[in-house]
Amino acid sequence: MFVTELLQTTPDPAAETALTLPDYDPETQAALFRYLLRLGDSVLILGQRTSEWCGHAPVLEEEMALANFGLDLIGQARMLLTYAGALEGKGRDEDTLAFLRYEHEYRNVTMTELPNGDFARTMVRHFLFASWMVLLWARLQSSADPHLAAIAGKAVKEARYHQRHAGGWVVRLGDGTALSHDKTQAALDDLWPYTAEWFESDEDDARLAQAGIAPHPGELAAPWRETVTPTLAEAQLRMPPESPFRSHGRWGRHSEHMGHLLPEMQYLQRAYPGGKW
Amino acid sequence: MYTQAMDLIAKEAGNTTPATAEPEAYQREFDAKIDRGDFIEPKDWMPEGYRKTLIRQISQHAHSEVVGMLPEGNWITRAPTLKRKAILLAKVQDEGGHGLYLYAAAETLGVSRTELIEALLSGKAKYSSIFNYPTLTWADVGVIGWLVDGAAIMNQIPLCKCSYGPYARAMVRICKEESFHQRQGYESLLVMMREGTPEQKAMVQDAVNRWWWPALMMFGPPDSESVHSPQSMRWGIKRVSNDELRQKFVDATVPQAEVLGVTLPDPHLKWNPERGHYDFGPINWKAFWDVINGHGPCNRDRMAARRRAWEEGAWVREAAEAYAEKAKRRATTHPTAA
Amino acid sequence: MTQTPTDTPRRDEWPLWEVFVRAKNGLEHKHCGSVHAVDARMALELARDLYTRRQEGVSIWVVRSDQIVASDPDAKPELFDPSADKIYRHPTFYRLPAEVDHM
């Protein structure tokens, strides 16, 4: 059974064992586990941030859109973390992974954990991130790993809509009023340096690229820039200059914000140990 | 979710001019339609009192949905599992959607969304006072689904057949979606009561204790004191009396509480074989009116949150309009560029 | 004549759009409500987010509410009553022998 099917059925405790796992050598398996956390944590943490908007959007119609973003991201996180847990084989399920790790064990890209800020910042981040994910998911659709390929096939459609809807807002706000333009430009300037992290790589990335499981991160840098440039230009936004700043969330070194996000997210699991939900 | 405030509306609507000012033939035709059980549609002639009552009732209902997003929204970022997080987010999103269906229905009566929202934010319009209670624990989320949505469904089903077409159609859509809300709430409580730790069970019982009476108040004042006008019944926009619905709710809920393994906080609650219903204790109506009149635990917080969202969103709404204007101008100057 | 919202658009709010959803191929688009949006693209996206959360649709139309021309309810008698007596247009008007009545 594919992990994508698993979560679409009503909960069945026996279902987890029904996941057919590929047979990898230990190094590849460990590298894929960490890679799944990097992906899964990124969508989890961005989903958490997005859900903070619920009840506070600028217009009621947009509540619906933001909640749909959040639901897609949480759904992706569930599949990725479920698969990560199964692959690891130590009995950790999606929730053990999502709620009961220490801060340095989370591998999300740093941008996802930054506070939402105003609506412009939220939409600029979502647009930059979704544009990256569209490219990444598209490549992962042909991953040598069947589960990852199946997850990507589902997620790529969701990411495309996110890119489209958030991109629409980036253009409207960038080319709207003087005030909205300034806010959008400020958001882009602040967020841009965090994108460099997405295209850095290590031995895990090299190993997975070698095995045809995931693309080498650096390969996506140029296509990503080509994807976002026309929208930013249409939005009358100036491309921020390159910066030597580097973030390292994918390696477990986070911003100060992560230590505030996690206690809120983990509260019930920590406060009611052994609870059933 | 729901509005309980129909009796309060009826009181105001009673003061509006009756149909004498309107052409008699129109009035006769309108009455005949109501008697036949036909629907009234937006462009049809209708008495001013009917229109005003509907605008108030539908918009209060819409406001209740939107304000109702806040108490449960309070727990989305702290939901205990990813599945529960997704369910809760979807549910609160539905409430926003229900608010939108209802605003759209109200707008067919010649009132703008902005007017409706301004009425809410200025405190002129009411919303269901159930949302002025705090959600103190995770179990509140489940109990709201079970009791508050349960009461709401009971209140709303008759409205699917109300005489105003757009409202009835919105209610059909809403009722279809609400049943997920009640079931998810009850199921989450069931898991905690059957498989949970003693601390979790205590959390559920505490939440039931706090929400039981406010849920019963959702049906509005007792019929004996109710100002609910025969007019609303006559117009087919209120169909069943408050006490009847409340009794129906109690009768349905008691066995559900037994299955769950919680006690309902009412020493007078017991089966009355003669009536064929459960008897229950007196409701503290002073508490009800206090909350309606702005003195509930969360009235100020709820309104402050709605006002903040509206004010902080102003520049976004303006920017979107400014962009649309520019795009339109560009399209007329360079038609091919579009 | 009753006043409809489209008679009095408010300058300070986004225009209203009527939303029509096709549930699946083979069926027509059906009116299901409205949304406020600044332009057609936004109207389509917001309609998608509001009216197709439970797989209710495969295609959406949006149209500015103030672009819809509706028949006058006062003209209902002359528009629609005259068809009431044309009962010979309906198949049930014709009584046929039982052996061929499935016709």
Side-chain angles (χ1 to χ4, degrees):
Chain A
M1 188 190 229
F2 279 117
V3 65
T4 39
E5 296 157 347
L6 180 69
L7 296 172
Q8 284 176 17
T9 53
T10 39
D12 169 11
E16 220 157 319
T17 52
L19 268 192
T20 359
L21 293 173
D23 193 17
Y24 293 123
D25 61 77
E27 289 79 17
T28 308
Q29 181 173 328
L32 179 54
F33 171 70
R34 287 187 290 265
Y35 185 80
L36 290 168
L37 291 187
R38 285 171 169 182
L39 271 180
D41 289 345
S42 294
V43 288
L44 168 68
I45 299 300
L46 187 59
Q48 173 77 1
R49 282 297 188 205
T50 308
S51 69
E52 289 173 17
W53 270 102
C54 193
H56 309 284
V59 286
L60 194 49
E61 273 89 347
E62 195 58 33
E63 294 278 1
M64 312 305 290
L66 284 164
N68 278 342
F69 280 3
L71 288 170
D72 288 344
L73 292 167
I74 293 164
Q76 293 163 11
R78 295 188 62 194
M79 293 187 285
L80 290 161
L81 295 179
T82 297
Y83 182 34
L87 196 67
E88 184 194 39
K90 292 183 184 164
R92 293 204 278 185
D93 64 7
E94 48 171 312
D95 293 320
T96 318
L97 287 170
F99 295 95
L100 293 171
R101 277 178 292 159
Y102 295 112
E103 179 180 330
H104 67 274
E105 296 172 303
Y106 286 83
R107 297 299 160 108
N108 54 292
V109 295
T110 310
M111 193 199 278
T112 57
E113 76 207 33
L114 302 179
N116 288 330
D118 61 20
F119 189 69
R121 189 167 295 247
T122 297
M123 284 298 154
V124 169
R125 168 170 62 187
H126 216 95
F127 170 69
L128 297 176
F129 182 79
S131 301
W132 173 47
M133 292 307 285
V134 164
L135 296 170
L136 184 53
W137 289 128
R139 291 285 299 272
L140 288 172
Q141 275 185 283
S142 49
S143 167
D145 182 277
H147 290 288
L148 192 50
I151 294 170
K154 186 174 177 301
V156 69
K157 294 182 246 174
E158 296 167 346
R160 279 198 188 108
Y161 184 74
H162 293 207
Q163 181 186 30
R164 175 197 167 95
H165 187 72
W169 273 111
V170 169
V171 171
R172 262 176 231 123
L173 296 176
D175 191 19
T177 61
L179 176 67
S180 72
H181 173 82
D182 291 351
K183 284 175 185 280
T184 313
Q185 183 69 57
L188 182 65
D189 291 345
D190 286 351
L191 292 168
W192 191 260
Y194 289 91
T195 60
E197 178 188 342
W198 303 349
F199 310 111
E200 308 244 303
S201 53
D202 59 14
E203 320 81 77
D204 280 354
D205 293 309
R207 184 183 294 275
L208 295 177
Q210 183 72 33
I213 293 174
H216 199 273
E219 285 172 27
L220 297 178
W224 175 75
R225 202 175 243 275
E226 274 167 46
T227 313
V228 298
T229 303
T231 303
L232 297 180
E234 196 189 344
Q236 313 292 325
L237 296 170
R238 177 176 35 76
M239 200 74 103
E242 285 313 312
S243 146
F245 171 88
R246 285 294 178 276
S247 54
H248 301 95
R250 287 176 76 226
W251 288 269
R253 266 184 294 140
H254 292 279
S255 69
E256 288 180 348
H257 305 292
M258 192 67 172
H260 294 275
L261 181 148
L262 287 181
E264 183 176 348
M265 189 172 86
Q266 297 182 337
Y267 160 63
L268 285 166
Q269 289 276 355
R270 297 284 187 202
Y272 292 83
K276 289 283 180 293
W277 310 98
Chain B
M1 283 234 189
Y2 191 58
T3 161
Q4 101 271 65
M6 293 178 196
D7 297 287
L8 314 176
I9 311 161
K11 187 161 49 176
E12 295 168 54
N15 298 333
T16 57
T17 341
T20 47
E22 310 281 1
E24 270 176 40
Y26 281 128
Q27 179 72 50
R28 268 201 307 275
E29 199 194 323
F30 174 85
D31 290 342
K33 273 192 211 161
I34 296 280
D35 291 341
R36 284 197 303 269
D38 280 1
F39 288 107
I40 307 297
E41 293 294 344
K43 282 175 159 269
D44 293 347
W45 184 91
M46 58 188 86
E48 257 327 281
Y50 177 82
R51 175 193 308 283
K52 286 196 173 135
T53 305
L54 272 173
I55 289 175
R56 286 205 193 86
Q57 178 169 327
I58 300 172
S59 64
Q60 289 191 358
H61 193 165
H63 299 328
S64 301
E65 298 280 357
V66 174
V67 176
M69 296 172 77
L70 297 170
E72 286 175 282
N74 180 36
W75 280 93
I76 293 172
T77 58
R78 292 178 290 169
T81 67
L82 294 183
K83 186 182 88 179
R84 295 285 173 207
K85 194 188 284 291
I87 292 171
L88 182 58
L89 182 54
K91 189 207 169 200
V92 177
Q93 181 198 39
D94 273 355
E95 273 145 29
H98 296 175
L100 281 165
Y101 304 156
L102 289 161
Y103 281 129
E107 285 173 85
T108 64
L109 289 157
V111 61
S112 75
R113 173 89 68 83
T114 309
E115 287 171 86
L116 296 173
I117 288 175
E118 279 165 1
L120 170 68
L121 299 185
S122 71
K124 214 176 101 207
K126 300 263 185 243
Y127 57 88
S128 181
S129 54
I130 193 78
F131 305 119
N132 288 320
Y133 293 90
T135 49
L136 301 179
T137 70
W138 168 253
D140 290 40
V141 168
V143 171
I144 287 179
W146 173 37
L147 296 180
V148 175
D149 291 315
I153 292 171
M154 215 148 256
N155 252 320
Q156 287 170 343
I157 285 173
L159 291 173
C160 295
K161 290 186 192 141
C162 85
S163 62
Y164 188 57
Y167 190 24
R169 291 192 286 275
M171 290 315 307
V172 169
R173 197 173 257 275
I174 289 171
C175 284
K176 257 193 232 163
E177 298 181 357
E178 284 285 350
S179 114
F180 139 59
H181 294 183
Q182 191 186 15
R183 290 175 70 96
Q184 66 80 31
Y186 190 81
E187 191 250 1
S188 89
L189 299 176
L190 204 59
V191 171
M192 288 193 271
M193 291 305 292
R194 291 199 168 162
E195 303 164 41
T197 61
E199 291 80 6
Q200 285 184 294
K201 289 177 192 173
M203 174 165 68
V204 174
Q205 182 62 58
D206 165 64
V208 171
N209 293 349
R210 282 181 290 109
W211 287 94
W212 173 248
W213 290 106
L216 290 192
M217 293 177 194
M218 285 176 71
F219 297 93
D223 296 346
S224 56
E225 288 166 38
S226 173
V227 285
H228 90 68
S229 68
Q231 185 63 278
S232 281
M233 289 277 197
R234 167 79 185 85
W235 278 336
I237 51 186
K238 181 180 174 70
R239 297 251 182 211
V240 189
S241 91
N242 297 350
D243 284 337
E244 265 177 81
L245 284 171
R246 187 166 15 243
Q247 183 69 60
K248 207 173 155 202
F249 174 73
V250 172
D251 292 347
T253 308
V254 173
Q256 294 165 356
E258 281 162 15
V259 171
L260 203 52
V262 294
T263 53
L264 297 171
D266 179 358
H268 301 285
L269 192 68
K270 67 165 193 294
W271 179 251
N272 181 333
E274 277 162 50
R275 290 203 308 128
H277 292 292
Y278 283 94
D279 290 337
F280 53 96
I283 292 173
N284 179 354
W285 290 110
K286 185 188 173 302
F288 171 76
W289 288 109
D290 282 348
V291 180
I292 287 206
N293 292 324
H295 310 295
C298 297
N299 297 55
R300 285 179 193 81
D301 293 344
R302 301 293 183 241
M303 288 314 294
R306 285 318 309 163
R307 275 194 211 109
R308 198 167 52 242
W310 187 246
E311 283 160 15
E312 285 176 3
W315 67 270
V316 176
R317 296 191 297 274
E318 281 159 23
E321 272 178 273
Y323 172 78
E325 285 293 322
K326 277 192 220 175
K328 213 185 294 170
R329 265 201 312 273
R330 279 196 290 256
T332 33
T333 339
H334 314 283
T336 48
Chain C
M1 206 32 243
T2 61
Q3 192 187 39
T4 60
T6 51
D7 297 333
T8 52
R10 278 195 42 156
R11 280 279 302 136
D12 58 347
E13 74 178 17
W14 294 356
L16 193 65
W17 302 71
E18 299 302 319
V19 179
F20 302 80
V21 172
R22 184 202 293 288
K24 57 179 186 185
N25 279 10
L27 295 179
E28 70 277 57
H29 286 77
K30 203 172 149 194
H31 183 248
C32 62
S34 59
V35 290
H36 284 277
V38 290
D39 53 33
R41 172 188 170 169
M42 193 202 266
L44 272 178
E45 290 178 11
L46 296 179
R48 175 260 191 197
D49 284 319
L50 178 59
Y51 290 106
T52 64
R53 303 199 299 292
R54 290 178 169 78
Q55 300 182 291
E56 292 97 334
V58 295
S59 163
I60 300 177
W61 289 346
V62 290
V63 57
R64 279 278 295 254
S65 306
D66 56 12
Q67 296 293 308
I68 290 182
V69 182
S71 63
D72 181 354
D74 281 350
K76 191 169 158 253
E78 69 246 39
L79 289 176
F80 307 112
D81 289 355
S83 64
D85 64 352
K86 316 290 194 290
I87 49 170
Y88 45 79
R89 285 184 177 279
H90 300 279
T92 46
F93 180 74
Y94 304 93
R95 313 257 302 265
L96 299 183
E99 309 91 273
V100 293
D101 202 25
H102 59 275
M103 187 184 284

